[in-house]
Amino acid sequence: MSVIAIVVFVVAYVLIASDRVHKTLAALGGAAIVVTLPIISSHDVFYSHETGIDWDVIFLLFGMMVIVGVLRQTGVFEYIAIWAAKRAKGSPLRIMILLVLVMAFGSALLDNVTTVLLVAPVTLLVCERLAINPVPFLMAEVFAANIGGAATLVGDPPNIMIASRAGLTFNDFLIHMAPIVLIVLAVFIALLRPLFGSITAAPENVAEVMSLDEREAIRDRGLLIKCGVVLLLVFTAFIAHPLLHMQPSIVALLGAGVLIVISRLQRSDYLSSVEWDTLLFFAGLFIMVGALVKTGVVNDLARSATALTGGHELLTAGLILGVSAPISGIIDNIPYVATMTPIVAQLVASLPGHVSPGTFWWALALGADFGGNLTAVGASANVVMLGIARRAGTPISFWEFTRKGAIVTVVSVGLSAIYLWLRYFVWN
């Protein structure tokens, strides 16, 4: 059965990476096979913490998607983009820097895919008014989204999966991930000009952007205030998790429920941002990985990795980081992390324990999150951004993205390696 589970997973993985078959169809098809054979039972799928669907991940994503669906009705992201362009006085480089900061911050609070969907269309509007090529802006923003999303538990789907498996809290991510994210973000901003060159805009086009009134972008001020209050309470509950003992998924669902009631929006409005395909994709992945866990494949891989590093903790952390970045870049980081979390859990259990077990989870998170910038298919946010660019008539080629993304990834992972070494092995 283990051979069949491996074959099914590898075939599904290849289909997901090749983009020849819709990733949700590939994941659900693989899940259907392992359940039907049966390699894994319905009890394993729905009730087992080790082999089943991780409902905390599914419901946290769903809750945040509903919250964003309500928030986007206010026009606040259009306001921020126009405000940024005007504060930059129409300077393309300054606009890029401000939009990068908006994207990074928004991705940390919401999630990188959602922030891309909200900010990219307004970026296209600003670039159109300035009569400049939007491609450098869109690429810089998606790189920033993947960097900023690494800072928090809810910022990037791989983080949600890692937190659920490892029992990490929102505060854990803020304490351990946010510092390196800020460092990488600062270095990335310094690299913007070398990466994208000098971009100039005609004075008359700058004047047109400066004439925009960002206040007109706000469509419902009352709803914006309600959203602000609910989001503040949601993130306060995330941070207060050690005291409240309430899982982030429950907090997100409660926040979504409150907003649905007080916003009085139509169902189509608040469900418009729910990516059902993504939720089903996660469910299918969890089932296929559960089959690998049940048949002992994951345990065998963990033992092999331990033997390869000889149980040396620094080498193990370096191996996790070094392998995670390129593989996450070549293959979407979501299925990669779904596969790796049980392996890392086994590694943590088998190592001597001289350093904090969290070290290896942070190595996985940093490698997967920053590795997502390597190629156009490395992260879901990349795929979404390229789709937006293509529909806008300014397509970004795979290799154009990869040439820039490889530089950003190498710098990010290099800084992460130094950070892990200093923080957890030198200063521990």
Side-chain angles (χ1 to χ4, degrees), residues 76-90:
V76 65
F77 282 91
E78 291 90 335
Y79 173 94
I80 292 171
I82 296 171
W83 174 87
K86 292 180 70 174
R87 291 302 167 278
K89 301 190 183 301

Side-chain angles (χ1 to χ4, degrees), residues 225-279:
I225 293 171
K226 293 175 183 177
C227 287
V229 172
V230 171
L231 275 174
L232 179 62
L233 292 174
V234 165
F235 283 101
T236 299
F238 283 160
I239 294 170
H241 167 73
L243 297 176
L244 298 177
H245 303 292
M246 187 180 294
Q247 293 299 320
S249 54
I250 300 298
V251 173
L253 287 174
L254 288 173
V258 170
L259 273 183
I260 288 172
V261 172
I262 66 176
S263 67
R264 298 183 179 180
L265 292 172
Q266 296 296 316
R267 185 184 303 173
S268 58
D269 292 330
Y270 61 77
L271 291 181
S272 61
S273 292
V274 176
E275 299 169 38
W276 301 106
D277 282 355
T278 299
L279 298 179

Side-chain angles (χ1 to χ4, degrees), residues 19 67 293 314 330 371 412:
D19 210 25
I67 290 173
V293 172
L314 178 57
I330 296 169
S412 302

Side-chain angles (χ1 to χ4, degrees), residues 8-21 26 331:
V8 170
F9 186 84
V10 169
V11 171
Y13 221 108
V14 170
L15 291 175
I16 292 168
S18 67
D19 210 25
R20 292 181 180 275
V21 176
I331 301 170

